[in-house]
Amino acid sequence: MSTDTFTLTDNQTGASWTFPVVAGTQGPDAIDIRTLYAETGYLTLDPGFSSTASCASAITFIDGDKGILQYRGYDIRDLAEHATFLEVAYALLYGDLPNLEEKRKFEKDITHHTMVHEQIHSFFRGFRRDAHPMAVMCGVVGALSAFYHDSLDIRDSRQREISAHRLIAKIPTLAAMSLKYMLGQPFVYPRNDLNYAENFLRMCFSVPAEDYRASAAMARAMDKILILHADHEQNASTSTVRLAGSSQANPFACIASGIASLWGPAHGGANQAVLNMLQEIGHVKNISTFLAKAKDKDDPFRLMGFGHRVYKNYDPRAAVLKSSCDAVLDELGVADPLLDLARELERIALEDEYFIDRKLFPNVDFYSGIILKALGFPSEMFTVLFAVARTVGWISQWKEMVEQPDHRIGRPRQVYIGQTCRPVLPLAERPQRKPQAIRQQEG
Ligand code: CMC
């Protein structure tokens, strides 16, 4: 904690108030305005939270100007190169990378929970086969709280831990089931002699008629993608999980809320949108037309996989994926013209004034879809894979919040801009108006 303070002066009355400044170990300090309203009668207004730290957290650090991302102080490039996804999950949950003994125990704990209650199979069958797998995931993950009553007491640290382990263990099983359900193939049970990525790929791609073993290259590529997506401090879905959890909702319900938030195309849904966009562009000769659309304020089209609220430099996750793309496609023996198209699109956009002025760089979603496609996933599954990885971050952030002694229910305020108090007129005296739809069209 810093001893610095920040003084606010009201220009009209000359009154002034002093607030403490909280210093982080890295990154900007924050003015602690918890008492602002009580002391001054003013609220702060920050839609989109560009200048608001919603919590103090020791999990993930981003320096958006320098393009730095660290989990628990470990650089993302270092982790992607030298750690496994379950080691990263351990670090996010408990603070440090595990030693050998901790790693073995954690892997055993997670493995112990990979199966789902058999009744969940019936639950799946209630969905239409053509449902988007993210819609299915929102439902089934939320429904886990109806199956695991014995780990819902969030005041009990052991129950919190069991729920965290269950979520990390079961989310790949559920994700694979959502793929199998969409394809009309039988569900594949987990195999605990395989590592996390191998087991997940097998549950996705094996069929009863033919067993399947992921190659080392595929498993490593999958593991790397999971590491890169595991956490990203207080983004929309993580903030959703924290806000849901602040009311003491159970962790399965909170993670389901995170999945719902992640689904949006401005967030985790962008990876599917990037692939669709590349397919739509189709050829290098069409790039300029699409860039012009992206720059046109009257056109809602945005260059998917570009831009980020925090990164005003190259997203370090995109850098790792870009350099992995060639190696992975080579190892898998896949030649994808979309990779050349993506590279050319990036090159042209990064030389364009519009993108330079606004500091718009490729984000994690720009190259991930190409690798996921090479691994054999249909594009509807891309955001589901993001959710598999991010579950670790969500549950770590949820656990950190619940364990902080000063945590309170999240309850933002507002500046009210609606009608002031007015009487309810009898129906016959209420004014005649054009229908709502016409009024909306007229603006
Ligand atoms: N294409 C064209 N223009 C863009 C783009 C884009 N992808 N992104 C931002 N801009 C423009 C925007 O129109 C605005 O221009 P102006 O100042 O002239 O009005 C300026 O850049 C600032 O953009 P913003 O909308 O204020 O930025 P934001 O922080 O609110 O939005 C974003 C961030 C990621 C939602 C946005 O960049 C975007 O929609 N990108 C495309 C979707 C995408 O790739 N999302 C994945 C994000 S990374 C993975 C994740 O965390 O989920």
Side-chain angles (χ1 to χ4, degrees), residues 266-268 270 297 302-307 309 354 358 363 365:
H267 193 5
K297 290 283 156 234
R302 281 190 163 195
L303 200 57
M304 299 314 287
F306 254 76
R309 171 63 59 79
Y354 175 94
R358 290 167 182 75
N363 59 50
D365 293 319

Side-chain angles (χ1 to χ4, degrees), residues 232 235 262 265-268 270 274 294-295 297 301-309 312 315 317 354-355 358 360 363-365 386 390:
H232 213 229
N235 54 80
L262 184 74
H267 193 5
V274 170
K295 295 189 284 184
K297 290 283 156 234
F301 175 79
R302 281 190 163 195
L303 200 57
M304 299 314 287
F306 254 76
H308 198 275
R309 171 63 59 79
K312 301 303 165 201
D315 179 339
R317 303 167 299 170
Y354 175 94
F355 291 87
R358 290 167 182 75
L360 300 170
N363 59 50
V364 67
D365 293 319
F386 197 153
R390 188 55 61 84

Side-chain angles (χ1 to χ4, degrees), residues 199-363:
N199 176 46
F200 178 50
L201 289 168
R202 183 178 168 278
M203 287 190 290
C204 289
F205 298 124
S206 76
V207 288
E210 240 175 70
D211 201 15
Y212 164 98
R213 178 130 204 171
S215 69
M218 279 182 85
R220 185 61 200 143
M222 187 71 247
D223 205 61
K224 208 181 248 197
I225 286 186
L226 294 175
I227 291 172
L228 294 174
H229 289 82
D231 196 43
H232 213 229
E233 55 119 297
Q234 308 313 317
N235 54 80
S237 56
T238 303
S239 301
T240 304
V241 169
R242 278 186 177 257
L243 199 54
S246 77
S247 72
Q248 299 175 18
N250 76 70
F252 302 108
C254 296
I255 300 304
S257 74
I259 294 174
S261 168
L262 184 74
W263 193 4
H267 193 5
N271 52 15
Q272 181 177 355
V274 170
L275 208 76
N276 295 343
M277 176 189 76
L278 290 173
Q279 272 154 354
E280 211 188 323
I281 297 176
H283 194 276
V284 172
K285 70 177 186 325
N286 301 325
I287 288 177
S288 56
T289 312
F290 281 82
L291 282 185
K293 272 163 73 62
K295 295 189 284 184
D296 180 354
K297 290 283 156 234
D298 298 325
D299 190 323
F301 175 79
R302 281 190 163 195
L303 200 57
M304 299 314 287
F306 254 76
H308 198 275
R309 171 63 59 79
V310 184
Y311 292 118
K312 301 303 165 201
N313 200 328
Y314 213 99
D315 179 339
R317 303 167 299 170
V320 173
L321 285 174
K322 184 181 179 185
S323 61
S324 304
C325 256
D326 261 340
V328 172
L329 267 58
D330 260 8
E331 279 177 277
L332 299 177
V334 174
D336 191 341
L338 289 187
L339 179 57
D340 297 328
L341 184 59
R343 285 224 176 88
E344 190 57 9
L345 177 59
E346 177 194 331
R347 190 189 65 73
I348 297 174
L350 292 184
E351 285 172 2
D352 189 299
E353 234 171 72
Y354 175 94
F355 291 87
I356 296 171
D357 288 353
R358 290 167 182 75
K359 299 189 174 156
L360 300 170
F361 291 86
N363 59 50

Side-chain angles (χ1 to χ4, degrees), residues 370-382:
I370 292 171
I371 299 186
L372 293 173
K373 180 167 168 259
L375 289 174
F377 288 103
S379 64
E380 296 92 323
M381 281 299 288
F382 293 178

